[in-house]
Amino acid sequence: IWKRMTTCRTYSTTGICRKRNKHGAGTGVVEEPAGSNRKLAYPVSPRRRRMRFFVKREKEKRTFDENGGIYKGKKLYSFVDNHDVDRLASKLNVKENMIPIYALLYFLPGIPSIYYGSEFGIEGRKEGGNDDPLRPALNLEELEKNPPAEKLPAWIKTLSDVRKKHPAARTGRYRELMLTNRQYAFARLDETDALITAVNNDENQSA
């Protein structure tokens, strides 16, 4: 998931700003205070079959954790693709992973944004310096009848309805509950509401 982040020397494909030592090796995760010159960091790479929950957890704790995240209480603009990058559906080897990815988009701290057409799971890749494949004219009637990702439009509507119903999903504190290399659970909490999100990135069900 992409978020506005401060400029750093090197952007990794994990979406984390990494400093490099004199030998060119990453020395660890560094999130710097926001400055006047900002760029977009790269997202957790959806090209990989497994979403990198440990990297995502580290980023969320450093940015939004209720115990000292540098953006605690802030409302940042979040997205998984946009008019300048390949569509999410074109980056995933396992298309079903769009389901947990959009759950994270809607319930992790931030203001979720969906690039037009991606709610249907359409694909699109940049061709050199040409962005036209990312910005096609759409036949909405046809897409509504036969979306490329059949379950995705209804799933996104469900996520939106839940987010509207639960204030904690929009403004609540972030708290990690569980993390493995394949499962991730967290809570959004406020004084009157609580919402727990759990995603499973394994091929098997998890209790």
Side-chain angles (χ1 to χ4, degrees):
I1 297 177
W2 298 50
K3 292 183 183 291
R4 286 279 177 185
M5 298 180 66
T6 184
T7 302
C8 67
R9 296 177 187 173
T10 304
Y11 290 112
S12 72
T13 56
T14 62
I16 299 298
C17 172
R18 294 184 182 276
K19 294 287 187 178
R20 293 185 175 271
N21 61 24
K22 63 182 180 180
H23 302 294
T27 57
V29 176
V30 178
E31 301 252 3
E32 300 177 353
S36 59
N37 182 21
R38 297 187 179 185
K39 294 183 179 179
L40 288 176
Y42 287 97
V44 175
S45 175
R47 297 176 189 276
R48 301 181 186 275
R49 190 163 181 235
R50 301 292 182 193
M51 289 185 295
R52 303 181 63 175
F53 288 147
F54 284 104
V55 173
K56 186 63 186 167
R57 183 278 303 268
E58 184 69 18
K59 178 173 177 290
E60 293 303 320
K61 290 189 73 173
R62 287 177 175 270
T63 54
F64 296 108
D65 188 73
E66 60 184 342
N67 296 315
I70 61 175
Y71 297 131
K72 181 179 69 174
K74 303 296 184 182
K75 298 177 182 178
L76 303 185
Y77 184 72
S78 304
F79 47 89
V80 296
D81 55 17
N82 63 35
H83 62 284
D84 286 325
V85 298
D86 292 349
R87 298 267 183 174
L88 177 65
S90 295
K91 297 178 180 179
L92 293 174
N93 293 327
V94 181
K95 304 302 183 184
E96 289 78 7
N97 278 345
M98 285 190 285
I99 297 298
I101 287 174
Y102 276 103
L104 295 177
L105 175 67
Y106 268 77
F107 298 135
L108 284 170
I111 302 171
S113 173
I114 297 180
Y115 185 43
Y116 85 100
S118 288
E119 70 270 28
F120 301 110
I122 70 171
E123 299 191 14
R125 293 183 181 275
K126 296 183 70 169
E127 297 177 353
N130 182 14
D131 289 343
D132 289 348
L134 307 176
R135 309 167 186 175
L138 301 180
N139 185 329
L140 293 180
E141 291 185 1
E142 179 62 28
L143 285 171
E144 288 172 353
K145 292 178 182 178
N146 300 293
E150 182 179 358
K151 298 179 180 179
L152 190 60
W155 175 241
I156 290 177
K157 182 180 184 303
T158 297
L159 296 176
S160 180
D161 290 344
V162 172
R163 185 178 169 89
K164 290 177 182 178
K165 182 178 179 180
H166 291 272
R170 304 188 299 273
T171 59
R173 305 182 304 278
Y174 165 83
R175 182 180 300 171
E176 178 189 312
L177 300 178
M178 187 271 287
L179 179 73
T180 72
N181 64 339
R182 297 184 181 183
Q183 290 84 34
Y184 179 28
F186 58 90
R188 301 293 304 280
L189 309 162
D190 64 18
E191 288 70 21
T192 61
D193 191 27
L195 180 73
I196 294 175
T197 301
V199 292
N200 180 25
N201 197 40
D202 202 338
E203 295 176 355
N204 302 313
Q205 293 186 357
S206 177

